[in-house]
Amino acid sequence: DTAVSQTPKYLVTQMGNDKSIKCEQNLGHDTMYWYKQDSKKFLKIMFSYNNKELIINETVPNRFSPKSPDKAHLNLHINSLELGDSAVYFCASSQDPGAAGDNEQFFGPGTRLTVL
Amino acid sequence: GQQVMQIPQYQHVQEGEDFTTYCNSSTTLSNIQWYKQRPGGHPVFLIQLVKSGEVKKQKRLTFQFGEAKKNSSLHITATQTTDVGTYFCAGIEGSQGNLIFGKGTKLSVKP
C-alpha cells in the first residue's frame, strides 16, 4: 500500500482556473506538508498541518489554501492559477516534528502542474 | 531567515569514482536530514544526524555532521549508475521541525 498518495499525478489547466490537489497518508502521522519544486529542482515548503491546525505558513500567495478534512488528508486548493504556478507539488507527512527519534518525512509521488 | 547552502549544484563522475556533496547552514541546526530524489521521482529519506561530529555509514555512503552543527557532508565511495539522482540536505529549524532544504546536488554517473 502506498504510504503517501496524491491525485492527480498530472494536471494541465488554463490560467485563471481554480484547481485542487488531493493528498492522503495511511501512516498515522500527525503532521502533513505541501512542498513546491520548481524547474530548478528547488524544494520549498509551503504549508504544514498538525492535528488540523496550520503551524507553518510560508510566504506563499493567498491563492493557495490547504484544507484538511481529517488527520490523514491535506488537500491543496489553488485559485486563479498563474503561469508561475507551474511546478511539481509534493505532499509529505511525518510524526510530530518535536518528537525524539528520526522524524523523517515521507513524500508522495508528486503532482506535475502545468498552467497554460 | 535560515538558509541551507549546498554545493556543488552538479557533479558528473565516471562509474567507480567517489562523490561528495557539502551542506552549510547560516545557523546552528538541531539536526540534519539527507534525501535522495531519483529522476522523475520523489525525495526519499536517507538518514538523520543529530549529534555534533556524528558520522554514520550506509554501505558506500558516509554522512558527517560538523562539530558546530552548521555543516554536513555526504560521501559516496565508488559510485554506481544506481546512485544517479539529486541529493538534498535539509536542516531542522527550531522546535516546530520546519525542514529547510538545500538546493540539491545532481549526480550523474557515466558507465
Side-chain angles (χ1 to χ4, degrees):
Chain A
D1 286 340
T2 305
V4 182
S5 59
Q6 293 179 230
T7 55
K9 189 171 183 180
Y10 300 97
L11 183 54
V12 181
T13 188
Q14 297 286 335
M15 239 181 0
N17 284 349
D18 302 339
K19 291 293 179 185
S20 292
I21 306 173
K22 295 185 177 180
C23 177
E24 177 181 3
Q25 56 97 1
N26 62 7
L27 298 168
H29 285 162
D30 297 317
T31 306
M32 296 182 71
Y33 312 83
W34 276 105
Y35 289 87
K36 179 180 180 180
Q37 187 170 49
D38 60 24
S39 57
K40 296 182 178 180
K41 303 298 183 186
F42 184 41
L43 265 170
K44 184 177 179 181
I45 189 166
M46 300 177 71
F47 303 103
S48 74
Y49 253 71
N50 183 297
N51 292 324
K52 300 182 73 171
E53 292 184 22
L54 180 67
I55 59 172
I56 300 172
N57 187 350
E58 293 296 318
T59 54
V60 298
N62 57 15
R63 298 181 294 103
F64 291 79
S65 56
K67 298 186 189 303
S68 180
D70 55 60
K71 197 173 91 165
H73 297 83
L74 183 65
N75 303 324
L76 182 65
H77 189 76
I78 315 169
N79 289 327
S80 303
L81 279 156
E82 301 177 358
L83 293 177
D85 297 333
S86 295
V88 179
Y89 292 84
F90 287 102
C91 176
S93 73
S94 73
Q95 294 285 15
D96 182 359
D102 284 355
N103 54 349
E104 64 186 277
Q105 292 192 10
F106 291 79
F107 283 77
T111 296
R112 182 174 293 277
L113 171 65
T114 303
V115 182
L116 303 175
Chain B
Q2 180 185 31
Q3 292 186 0
V4 175
M5 292 148 286
Q6 193 173 352
I7 57 169
Q9 189 174 0
Y10 302 97
Q11 186 77 57
H12 309 282
V13 299
Q14 192 76 32
E15 189 172 21
E17 292 180 340
D18 293 355
F19 158 77
T20 305
T21 173
Y22 301 90
C23 189
N24 286 285
S25 170
S26 55
T27 59
T28 301
L29 301 168
S30 56
N31 52 45
I32 195 160
Q33 297 180 359
W34 284 90
Y35 290 79
K36 176 184 178 181
Q37 184 177 16
R38 293 181 185 273
H42 58 276
V44 175
F45 176 83
L46 294 176
I47 208 160
Q48 176 172 286
L49 303 171
V50 179
K51 299 177 183 176
S52 170
E54 189 171 15
V55 178
K56 285 188 177 180
K57 291 190 176 184
Q58 289 179 350
K59 297 183 180 178
R60 294 178 295 104
L61 278 61
T62 301
F63 303 84
Q64 291 188 329
F65 200 11
E67 293 290 340
K69 300 184 75 172
K70 283 188 172 184
N71 62 299
S72 181
S73 65
L74 159 59
H75 180 82
I76 302 178
T77 304
T79 54
Q80 300 175 359
T81 54
T82 53
D83 296 326
V84 163
T86 301
Y87 293 84
F88 293 95
C89 62
I92 305 292
E93 178 188 45
S95 60
Q96 290 183 335
N98 187 13
L99 263 183
I100 307 296
F101 277 84
K103 293 191 175 182
T105 297
K106 185 175 181 179
L107 172 66
S108 60
V109 180
K110 188 176 181 181

